[in-house]
Amino acid sequence: EQMAAFRRSMAIKVANKQDPDLPDAISKFDELEVPSWWRGNTKDKDASDDDTAYDSADTMAVASFQGISKAIQRNVEAGRWKEPTPIQMQSIPILLERRDLIGAAPTGSGKSGAFILPAIFLSGAPYQSFYNNSQVASDDEKGSKKKKKKKKSKKGANDNNTRQGEIRSLILAPSRELAAQLHREVERLGLGKPGGISSLLLSKSNAAHVIAGIAGGKKGLDALVTTPLRLVDAIEKGLRLDSVRLVVLDEADRLLDAVDGKKNKQRKKQKQYSGGSESDSSDDDEEDDSEAVARSSGSDQSHTFL
């Protein structure tokens, strides 16, 4: 009842308010708690002979969360908002629980912080905590699945040795200008994060490095910010996204109204046919999807979401 009253006072509306697992909203950033999955609670203590090892791993996991939290709080306090806005109060705890979310709020209400902060947290989560790989098999399983386990450990070896080629958060924006703005915000809010923040704005000049998996070095990328057209081009050239932990569609209403690449190519051909130069097609460093939306918007004009 208290949480329901708090949500009403903050004008926070949730569609699934009867959900018993719905995380409570926070009123301050220091109220953020370590999610249960981050603590490694999936591990069965009874299956392990060494409880000390379990406690040590748990302590390290909690320490990693708190380290990221302290860095974020410092960066938030240095910015224009000191306390979470209503969209952040409810969205951040939900995304930290790795749940899907559709959020709507007015312009200037802190929507970008509502997904950038969880993206920084999730990208910094220990590999084994995030994928629940700390579960220990029973003695019987150990005997029968020894070979299988060796193969698995090789596959997930990039956790301990190198995370090169990983892209842990993918943020999509409808225009080049908005994508650049989001990239700056990721860099600002992730400043001083333990291990550093590694983010990139996808462009023609760095696409080859991203596709080859060498962008971000051995640590990989915490966040890749891009427009849909640039991302699809990279995927067609071999970009792998199997390490992504969080996908964000910013300004989703505009993104879902964007026409597909075929329509854009047709528009370019029409320009050239009518006497326009090739430079008129706005094919510079990034294609601004918002231009396509302005020319042809609405579901009846849209073909697909890229």
Side-chain angles (χ1 to χ4, degrees), residues 43-51 54 136 138:
K43 183 171 181 179
D44 183 7
K45 276 194 178 185
D46 296 332
S48 171
D49 294 330
D50 190 356
D51 288 344
Y54 174 89
V136 177
S138 66

Side-chain angles (χ1 to χ4, degrees), residues 211-232:
I211 295 165
I214 57 177
K218 290 185 177 181
K219 293 181 180 179
L221 288 173
D222 290 316
L224 179 68
V225 189
T226 178
T227 59
L229 293 176
R230 180 65 59 209
L231 179 66
V232 169

Side-chain angles (χ1 to χ4, degrees), residues 41-180:
N41 286 345
T42 54
K43 183 171 181 179
D44 183 7
K45 276 194 178 185
D46 296 332
S48 171
D49 294 330
D50 190 356
D51 288 344
T52 308
Y54 174 89
D55 293 337
S56 174
D58 190 48
T59 303
M60 287 174 64
V62 172
S64 70
F65 181 91
Q66 291 173 342
I68 297 172
S69 183
K70 286 177 182 175
I72 284 176
Q73 284 183 52
R74 284 195 301 270
N75 297 330
V76 165
E77 288 168 4
R80 59 186 183 276
W81 22 269
K82 312 294 182 188
E83 302 295 345
T85 63
I87 186 72
Q88 294 167 0
M89 289 175 176
Q90 188 63 74
S91 297
I92 295 174
I94 288 175
L95 291 175
L96 283 182
E97 288 295 338
R98 305 181 300 184
R99 294 183 60 164
D100 296 331
L101 172 74
I102 298 175
T107 302
S109 56
K111 285 196 300 291
S112 58
F115 58 76
I116 289 176
L117 295 181
I120 295 170
F121 271 109
L122 295 178
S123 66
Y127 183 92
Q128 295 206 347
S129 296
F130 189 87
Y131 293 105
N132 296 330
N133 284 349
S134 58
Q135 194 161 4
V136 177
S138 66
D139 291 336
D140 294 337
E141 290 173 327
K142 281 179 183 175
S144 61
K145 298 183 180 178
K146 200 173 183 181
K147 290 181 182 176
K148 229 181 209 182
K149 226 176 177 185
K150 278 186 181 177
K151 285 182 184 177
K152 269 192 179 179
S153 63
K154 280 183 183 177
K155 203 173 183 184
N158 64 334
D159 160 46
N160 297 321
N161 300 328
T162 177
R163 304 174 83 176
Q164 186 168 324
E166 282 191 9
I167 299 171
R168 292 178 285 279
S169 293
L170 178 65
I171 301 175
L172 286 165
S175 70
R176 176 183 57 189
E177 290 77 13
L178 182 56

